Amino acid sequence: MEDVNLIGESLKFMVLGMVVVFSFLIILVQVVKLQAKIINKYFPEETPKAPTSSGQSDESQRIAAIIAAVTEFRKK
């Protein structure tokens, strides 16, 4: 007879624990969404700028640096 009472109590605690965890997760998601809205309001993302002609120069310098590194590596 006492076993039925213990099983009932354990089910109650299981449901209560699941409700508490689920409620906490819902509150956490809402707080994170609110935080994202606040951050986007006061610190908006900058739009990326279109590449200019100096972008070609940067790319050429990057390629030259890679070639120099590979050449130096092969000397060893």
Side-chain angles (χ1 to χ4, degrees):
M1 192 61 110
E2 180 126 356
D3 291 336
V4 175
N5 191 19
L6 289 176
I7 292 174
E9 287 294 319
S10 63
L11 288 174
K12 286 180 189 177
F13 279 119
M14 181 184 70
V15 170
L16 177 65
M18 291 174 71
V19 167
V20 167
V21 170
F22 191 70
S23 300
F24 174 77
L25 290 175
I26 289 174
I27 292 170
L28 181 67
V29 167
Q30 297 303 320
V31 167
V32 169
K33 285 182 180 179
L34 177 66
Q35 180 183 6
K37 286 181 182 178
I38 291 171
I39 289 173
N40 285 334
K41 181 178 179 182
Y42 293 109
F43 303 102
E45 289 187 25
E46 295 178 7
T47 55
K49 298 178 181 176
T52 59
S53 61
S54 66
Q56 292 290 344
S57 175
D58 291 340
E59 188 67 25
S60 300
Q61 290 176 350
R62 185 176 303 145
I63 292 171
I66 293 171
I67 292 172
V70 170
T71 305
E72 189 65 31
F73 177 76
R74 287 185 179 169
K75 286 182 181 178
K76 292 182 180 182

